[in-house]
Amino acid sequence: MIPAKGYAAPKVKAELGPFSFERRDPRPNDVVIDIKFCGICHSDIHQARDEWGGSTFPMVPGHEIAGVVSRVGGKVTKYKVGDKVGVGCFVNSCRHCENCTRGLEQYCLDGGATLTYNGFERDGKTPTYGGYSNQIVVDENYVLRVPDNLPLDGVAPLFCAGITLYSPLMHWKAGPGKKVAIVGLGGLGHMGVKIAHALGAEVTVLSQSLRKEADGRRLGADNFYATSDPATFKKLQRYFDLIINTVSVEMDWNAYLNLLKLDGSMVVVGVPEKPACVAAFPLIMFRRSLAGSAIGGIKETQEMLDFCGKHNLTSDVEVIPIQKVNEAYERVIKSDVRYRFVIDMASL
Ligand code: NAP
Ligand code: ZN
Ligand code: ZN
């Protein structure tokens, strides 16, 4: 086994602190990655606080992992020592179900994808530990290649925030002539603005207030509205083809559905703790759809990274030492992050 160190939540809602553990010795198809940076996703906080239920402890969170290959198993063909790589929300899946075969491993039908942390390996008993650590061992088929022109700190959030917005933007065909709204300008939202803008859509940010307006416009938004102002919901009635909702708390989805035009869709990617209440009328009027989307498969994640490489897109990051992780969690909850905290693993 390989000795590893990181930061873990020892139990539910407890502060994270230093933690020593072991990674497996690389199997023939494994890549050992020296983790350089790891993003802090709001999902890390939900899970460390067990807001979705079923969390297991100790938990080493982190699924926005960017680093450099330090060792490869004997049968690895895709990567070599020194390559810039990353790992996202899952590290394995069944590889044979209908969805895995289609490159949609995040929707694996046989046991689900193996989560990068807060999950178990395919044996059902070995816990997985995430990216708030110095290294990780992952099968090469679940490792992504980082474009040469992109810096690793800004790339890390692409492995969750980036793909979580890229996948629905592609699926619902954001592009020239389409009016797209991004609800919530946080880690996911700011990547949504950048990617939708790069795809050529008209982009509107719907934020709680106007305090992030200058940032939103710099990131690529054409319009910016405060959802605390009731006039916003009057003015934008039946305006959007696509709304991507990244908000992590309960809100009135019906009010947002009314902003969709005929055949428009609202795609939920944020995961509030409590269920939402949806009325039939906002849906049946104007044949609207309410949908959801989870991260993206390996093939699409690589496609997203290559797209970001081509358009020189990375996340706007605030790099912190790992000792500040608990403080960062508090700031994320207060929407006080511009726009993703990324842990510099050199601080471990
Ligand atoms: P984040 O950085 O905290 O961003 C969430 C944004 O929601 C905030 O920046 C804020 O934007 C808005 N918001 C916060 N509190 C609000 C409130 N009380 N009322 C209205 N808006 C509020 O979080 P994130 O990392 O982007 O993650 C967002 C959500 O997506 C989380 O629930 C996370 O678990 C989930 N997620 C889902 C997937 C998936 O695959 N579907 C993947 C990753 C994360 P403004 O300040 O602009 O209003
Ligand atoms: Zn995430
Ligand atoms: Zn599968």
Side-chain angles (χ1 to χ4, degrees), residues 40-43 46 52 63 160-161 164 183-189 205-209 211-212 227 246-251 268-272 293-295 332-333 335 337 339-340:
I40 296 180
C41 178
H42 206 118
S43 304
H46 289 303
W52 300 338
H63 57 207
C160 177
T164 299
V183 190
L185 194 62
L188 265 54
V205 174
L206 301 176
S207 186
Q208 293 167 89
S209 72
R211 82 194 155 97
K212 298 177 183 168
T227 52
T246 76
V247 175
S248 48
V249 298
E250 297 79 55
M251 64 198 298
V268 172
V269 293
V271 192
S293 181
I295 45 175
V332 170
I333 288 163
S335 300
V337 47
Y339 280 87
R340 197 59 142 185

Side-chain angles (χ1 to χ4, degrees), residues 207-208 225-234:
S207 186
Q208 293 167 89
Y225 290 95
T227 52
S228 52
D229 181 357
T232 295
F233 291 89
K234 278 211 175 98

Side-chain angles (χ1 to χ4, degrees), residues 130-147:
Y132 297 5
S133 58
N134 61 340
Q135 50 186 332
I136 191 166
V137 182
V138 182
D139 185 299
E140 65 168 338
N141 294 301
Y142 295 79
V143 173
L144 288 312
R145 182 175 298 282
V146 172

Side-chain angles (χ1 to χ4, degrees), residues 287-300:
R287 204 163 54 189
R288 294 162 172 140
S289 302
L290 175 61
S293 181
I295 45 175
I298 293 297
K299 183 166 170 278
E300 194 173 43

Side-chain angles (χ1 to χ4, degrees), residues 72-330:
V72 293
K75 288 194 174 154
V76 168
T77 57
K78 295 181 186 158
Y79 300 102
K80 57 179 193 322
V81 172
D83 284 354
K84 279 162 67 180
V85 296
V87 176
C89 298
F90 56 91
V91 289
N92 210 344
S93 67
C94 86
R95 309 181 190 208
H96 55 66
C97 76
E98 187 187 337
N99 294 349
C100 281
T101 318
R102 289 175 60 198
L104 296 167
E105 300 90 346
Q106 76 274 34
Y107 305 123
C108 175
L109 296 167
D110 190 353
T114 304
L115 298 179
T116 303
Y117 71 88
N118 194 24
F120 294 95
E121 298 286 357
R122 305 307 291 175
D123 64 9
K125 55 177 195 237
T126 310
T128 56
Y129 294 121
Y132 297 5
S133 58
N134 61 340
Q135 50 186 332
I136 191 166
V137 182
V138 182
D139 185 299
E140 65 168 338
N141 294 301
Y142 295 79
V143 173
L144 288 312
R145 182 175 298 282
V146 172
D148 275 337
N149 58 321
L150 301 181
L152 283 177
D153 54 353
V155 156
L158 301 182
F159 292 101
C160 177
I163 184 60
T164 299
L165 272 289
Y166 181 85
S167 185
L169 286 167
M170 296 305 286
H171 186 78
W172 276 271
K173 302 189 168 50
K178 290 284 176 72
K179 293 183 166 120
V180 175
I182 304 290
V183 190
L185 194 62
L188 265 54
H190 93 291
M191 286 315 305
V193 172
K194 290 188 183 207
I195 294 168
H197 176 71
L199 288 168
E202 182 198 288
V203 185
T204 300
V205 174
L206 301 176
S207 186
Q208 293 167 89
S209 72
L210 294 179
R211 82 194 155 97
K212 298 177 183 168
E213 177 167 5
D215 286 345
R217 292 189 185 273
R218 174 178 55 78
L219 296 167
D222 301 283
N223 311 302
F224 199 105
Y225 290 95
T227 52
S228 52
D229 181 357
T232 295
F233 291 89
K234 278 211 175 98
K235 175 154 191 213
L236 297 176
Q237 261 186 78
R238 297 189 292 280
Y239 187 80
F240 298 108
D241 297 285
L242 176 63
I243 298 175
I244 304 205
N245 189 340
T246 76
V247 175
S248 48
V249 298
E250 297 79 55
M251 64 198 298
D252 180 13
W253 288 356
N254 302 294
Y256 291 83
L257 289 169
N258 281 323
L259 307 186
L260 292 169
K261 60 163 72 153
L262 179 68
D263 289 330
S265 302
M266 177 157 88
V267 182
V268 172
V269 293
V271 192
E273 202 177 344
K274 300 206 183 81
C277 185
V278 178
F281 267 118
L283 287 170
I284 62 177
M285 293 310 297
F286 307 103
R287 204 163 54 189
R288 294 162 172 140
S289 302
L290 175 61
S293 181
I295 45 175
I298 293 297
K299 183 166 170 278
E300 194 173 43
T301 305
Q302 189 61 58
E303 185 187 303
M304 175 275 309
L305 288 164
D306 297 341
F307 175 88
C308 288
K310 193 171 145 218
H311 293 269
N312 219 359
L313 289 186
T314 49
S315 176
D316 283 27
V317 296
E318 188 173 331
V319 177
I320 57 161
I322 200 158
Q323 294 75 14
K324 289 206 164 164
V325 66
N326 295 300
E327 204 180 299
Y329 275 23
E330 292 306 324

